[in-house]
Amino acid sequence: MLSSKFTFDYFGSPSEQQTNSGNQMYYTDPNYPDGNVGGSTPTWRKRKSDGLSAQLDNMFSFKTGPVRHKFLITLDYTHKKDSDRRLTTDTGSSFPSNDLSARYIIRDKNDNSVIYPLTLPLGPRSTGVLRWNTAAQSATQPIPQYSYYEGEQLLPWPHTDYSFWFPTYDDYSRLYVRTSNDTIGKSDDYGVFASERATFFDGRLMLLVGGRFDQLQNNFQNRASTDPAMRASAWDDHAFTYQAGLTGYATRNIILFANASSAYNPNMQVVSKRVSTVTYDDDGYPTGESDVRFLSTVLPNEEGDGYEFGTRFVLFKDRLNITASRFVINRDNKVDSYTNEFGISEYVGNGSQQSKGYEVEFNWAVTGALQVNGAYGYNDTRYTRNSLAYLVGAPTAQNAKNNYSLLFRYRFRNGALKGLSVQGGVRYYDRSLINVGSGGLITTNPYATGSYKPLLRNARMGTGVLPFPTLPEGLVILSRTCTVSRIDGAGKRVGGEEPTGAINPNTGALMVNNQLDKGFTPGVNIPSDWISYTGQPMEAGRTYYIIDGDGQTSASYIYKANIDDNRANVYNRSYAIYNIGASYTFKTGSRCAHALRFNISNLFDKFYTYGNGVRGYGREFSVGYSVDFR
């Protein structure tokens, strides 16, 4: 028997959002006393996602002896367009500034005169140790003086809404003068899916196998880019995914199941990669670089696979269902960012993560009117591969390890309230890491800029990972002193390229020669009790070292690593959100069913943050109506 179904959908979801520093909000809740002081970046973001999809399903049902089959072939097409435009206020280079022309004098919601940009307290996404310090104003200096200093700073109490005020786009659109993002992404996905579901032993054993092929065409425009090569990109891609499952009835009340599948997530992100050409003088010595440019690179699609197995119990005449399962999910081609030797953040699609956990769910019909649903989940997600070595084995960001939910629903089946349902429930989430940062680069290369270190020790980082995993733990890596000092063809003396600031390990004093002795030279400034490492066993209590580089060329210095930049210790707090609601269903005629719904989310107006430090919504009210023609 053949049955076919065709569906066509059009979807659109425009949105406008006020944020600070992207999703970084400035919180007023005194439960977050870890705030630092920093400048805000109010942002007005306008997004729109729309498209259409068409799908044709063809189901073939037949039998081969005692085995029942359902063979499905699906053809589908999806077109999607996403636009994202962001406007920001003046920030960054002009802040702090004593120039009145670089600032705006405006009025806040309490009708007080305010100079903007201004210093604002920062919420739980605060990182680092540098803080803004505000000196007193004077008659001759109406603009407050700002300076950096190190150490902790406590916010003044009590916190008020006005302490965290910033100009919104609705009230001060003239301040939003910078376009930080203006992109349009389009994609066309042509898909074919086929699956076979076979049932054996009178329904006691079911087998499912299936596969899907997708052909994608992508187009990405970055209208804010000044580089013509980055303004438009077009590429094709394809993917194959599979699914397989087995379900068996051990008894009427005990059901065993196992599933495996793969998936992909199309990546519409186009990033830039820095490339350059090394320049040399007449004597063949490197003098710097030229032809610095940024090439557009399309990141690969995110891919994944995983499996799940578990047991479902059907008890008390089908009134109580309990499901317990174990799952493992692998994700590959995750987008990573790291800081290169030029201090620029680069993005690559080569990260991997693995999630392992358990889930327990139940559905209990206590009576014909009262129903209780509950669930508990444990999810341990960690990095298994990352461009930042210190993250391997560490927990991923924005993941709550424990969560649970409980929902009560009561439906009136008789009397004057027939058709009315009321419900109430709670959802709880563990604390979650907000951000892991992009690391800070350290290198023995004296031709590098601020990332140069004349001495590196291969010590384990907070995650237990060595920055140089191929070298022994505790080994010291020394940068060889630059020795380039000669007379060039024009009769001019040229010296080493090394930066200042190295420490003499013998005296502990700062080296001051701007041309020589910024690294280490055997027999000159390496402590006499240190031992040159050549692969021999390392004795406890002794210091072993190797020397990196030849003192002549930048390319000879090979040791560099990304280390934790201390952003991996800021968390969203755990929180519980309570929700209540009611619905009323009724019929008009024999084929028309109506439903009215009213819900209150976050009943107690709980302050919380989630994901990338985004402030959660406060108390929300929603009303809905639906009609079903049968």
Side-chain angles (χ1 to χ4, degrees):
M1 182 178 69
L2 171 64
S3 61
S4 298
K5 181 176 68 173
F6 177 78
T7 57
F8 178 85
D9 295 295
Y10 173 81
F11 53 89
S13 56
S15 67
E16 298 184 14
Q17 183 183 22
Q18 175 76 60
T19 63
N20 260 7
S21 296
N23 284 333
Q24 187 167 307
M25 300 297 293
Y26 289 75
Y27 307 121
T28 63
D29 193 294
N31 291 323
Y32 284 86
D34 63 339
N36 307 329
V37 174
S40 68
T41 311
T43 301
W44 180 251
R45 186 176 188 183
K46 188 173 183 179
R47 289 180 291 180
K48 184 179 181 182
S49 178
D50 57 14
L52 56 88
S53 64
Q55 179 171 314
L56 176 63
D57 297 312
N58 298 284
M59 176 69 75
F60 299 86
S61 302
F62 58 95
K63 293 181 66 175
T64 57
V67 181
R68 297 196 300 270
H69 301 267
K70 287 190 175 182
F71 183 69
L72 173 66
I73 295 181
T74 297
L75 306 175
D76 57 66
Y77 165 75
T78 301
H79 171 78
K80 187 177 181 181
K81 177 182 177 182
D82 295 304
S83 61
D84 186 355
R85 188 164 187 257
R86 302 176 209 177
L87 300 176
T88 66
T89 60
D90 276 335
T91 57
S93 60
S94 63
F95 173 65
S97 170
N98 294 327
D99 182 6
L100 271 176
S101 63
R103 294 174 169 237
Y104 301 93
I105 298 180
I106 54 183
R107 293 189 177 277
D108 67 9
K109 59 184 178 182
N110 208 29
D111 205 30
N112 296 317
S113 295
V114 177
I115 299 174
Y116 184 82
L118 72 165
T119 301
L120 294 176
L122 201 60
R125 287 186 63 186
S126 305
T127 57
V129 296
L130 295 176
R131 311 287 186 260
W132 287 111
N133 185 26
T134 305
Q137 293 178 245
S138 65
T140 59
Q141 183 58 61
I143 306 299
Q145 300 294 301
Y146 298 89
S147 62
Y148 267 125
Y149 78 101
E150 291 192 41
E152 296 296 327
Q153 175 166 316
L154 297 178
L155 297 181
W157 295 84
H159 294 306
T160 68
D161 289 344
Y162 308 114
S163 300
F164 298 82
W165 178 86
F166 63 90
T168 64
Y169 180 82
D170 285 342
D171 295 328
Y172 297 96
S173 59
R174 64 185 178 86
L175 302 185
Y176 290 72
V177 296
R178 299 183 180 182
T179 301
S180 63
N181 188 84
D182 190 1
T183 59
I184 297 178
K186 300 178 182 179
S187 65
D188 293 279
D189 186 348
Y190 303 85
V192 179
F193 172 72
S195 70
E196 158 70 2
R197 184 188 302 270
T199 304
F200 305 85
F201 309 121
D202 295 326
R204 295 185 60 182
L205 181 65
M206 288 166 284
L207 173 67
L208 171 67
V209 292
R212 178 180 175 87
F213 178 81
D214 287 89
Q215 180 67 41
L216 299 98
Q217 297 176 351
N218 304 289
N219 184 286
F220 185 81
Q221 300 178 46
N222 183 359
R223 299 191 293 189
S225 176
T226 58
D227 184 354
M230 293 290 295
R231 290 184 64 88
S233 302
W235 68 99
D236 294 344
D237 207 344
H238 64 272
F240 175 79
T241 54
Y242 67 87
Q243 65 179 44
L246 186 65
T247 302
Y249 282 77
T251 69
R252 180 184 178 279
N253 303 103
I254 302 176
I255 305 168
L256 307 177
F257 62 89
N259 303 292
S261 63
S262 64
Y264 82 100
N265 182 24
N267 195 341
M268 286 290 291
Q269 189 169 358
V270 180
V271 300
S272 60
K273 183 176 180 62
R274 187 185 192 276
V275 296
S276 64
T277 302
V278 179
T279 57
Y280 301 88
D281 62 13
D282 294 339
D283 298 323
Y285 292 99
T287 59
E289 58 179 342
S290 65
D291 192 24
V292 177
R293 58 196 185 280
F294 293 86
L295 302 180
S296 60
T297 301
V298 178
L299 295 179
N301 292 330
E302 180 182 328
E303 299 177 347
D305 59 69
Y307 63 86
E308 177 189 26
F309 60 89
T311 305
R312 184 164 66 248
F313 302 91
V314 182
L315 307 173
F316 306 129
K317 299 181 179 180
D318 296 342
R319 292 174 60 181
L320 176 61
N321 291 269
I322 302 175
T323 302
S325 63
R326 160 74 166 171
F327 65 86
V328 176
I329 302 172
N330 300 296
R331 298 179 177 91
D332 298 311
N333 295 339
K334 297 288 292 184
V335 178
D336 291 339
S337 66
Y338 67 96
T339 303
N340 63 22
E341 59 267 38
F342 303 100
I344 299 173
S345 293
E346 290 198 19
Y347 296 86
V348 293
N350 64 0
S352 296
Q353 301 173 7
Q354 185 178 71
S355 300
K356 296 181 179 180
Y358 305 89
E359 291 181 341
V360 178
E361 301 176 342
F362 75 88
N363 184 338
W364 184 19
V366 182
T367 67
L370 177 62
Q371 185 175 2
V372 182
N373 297 335
Y376 166 77
Y378 173 84
N379 186 14
D380 185 10
T381 304
R382 297 182 179 271
Y383 294 97
T384 55
R385 187 175 71 243
N386 198 279
S387 56
L388 304 177
Y390 67 84
L391 288 179
V392 176
T396 64
Q398 305 173 35
N399 173 65
K401 185 169 289 188
N402 294 279
N403 63 84
Y404 66 77
S405 64
L406 190 62
L407 175 67
F408 295 85
R409 178 183 291 112
Y410 188 88
R411 183 177 181 180
F412 294 89
R413 295 183 174 275
N414 301 292
L417 297 179
K418 181 179 179 180
L420 175 66
S421 298
V422 293
Q423 65 182 35
V426 59
R427 298 186 67 90
Y428 166 84
Y429 295 91
D430 255 356
R431 73 171 192 168
S432 60
L433 185 64
I434 290 178
N435 200 330
V436 295
S438 57
L441 184 79
I442 54 174
T443 177
T444 57
N445 186 354
Y447 295 89
T449 52
S451 58
Y452 165 70
K453 305 293 180 185
L455 183 152
L456 302 177
R457 188 179 298 274
N458 196 29
R460 294 191 181 275
M461 293 175 281
T463 60
V465 176
L466 292 171
F468 303 97
T470 61
L471 298 178
E473 181 178 358
L475 183 68
V476 172
I477 307 170
L478 303 178
S479 174
R480 188 180 297 274
T481 302
C482 284
T483 57
V484 180
S485 182
R486 64 197 186 283
I487 303 298
D488 64 12
K492 180 181 179 182
R493 177 173 294 278
V494 292
E497 302 282 346
E498 67 282 359
T500 61
I503 300 294
N504 186 329
N506 294 303
T507 65
L510 185 70
M511 294 180 179
V512 296
N513 188 312
N514 289 334
Q515 297 298 322
L516 302 173
D517 299 332
K518 294 303 173 291
F520 292 86
T521 302
V524 177
N525 61 348
I526 299 178
S528 59
D529 60 342
W530 287 16
I531 303 171
S532 176
Y533 176 75
T534 58
Q536 73 271 36
M538 294 173 53
E539 300 179 15
R542 306 295 298 272
T543 300
Y544 293 78
Y545 71 90
I546 59 174
I547 299 181
D548 187 29
D550 61 8
Q552 299 287 318
T553 63
S554 176
S556 67
Y557 294 87
I558 62 175
Y559 287 103
K560 62 181 180 179
N562 281 92
I563 60 174
D564 185 3
D565 61 3
N566 204 35
R567 276 194 276 177
N569 61 356
V570 184
Y571 287 81
N572 296 303
R573 291 194 174 193
S574 59
Y575 62 93
I577 300 298
Y578 293 84
N579 305 310
I580 62 172
S583 64
Y584 181 69
T585 59
F586 61 95
K587 288 185 177 182
T588 56
S590 59
R591 295 188 175 182
C592 195
H594 306 263
L596 294 171
R597 301 177 183 86
F598 174 74
N599 295 287
I600 303 178
S601 303
N602 196 358
L603 177 64
F604 301 109
D605 201 21
K606 171 69 175 180
F607 177 90
Y608 68 97
T609 61
Y610 68 97
N612 193 25
V614 181
R615 179 174 182 173
Y617 290 105
R619 185 185 296 114
E620 291 185 297
F621 302 88
S622 62
V623 177
Y625 167 76
S626 63
V627 58
D628 185 11
F629 300 95
R630 301 176 181 176

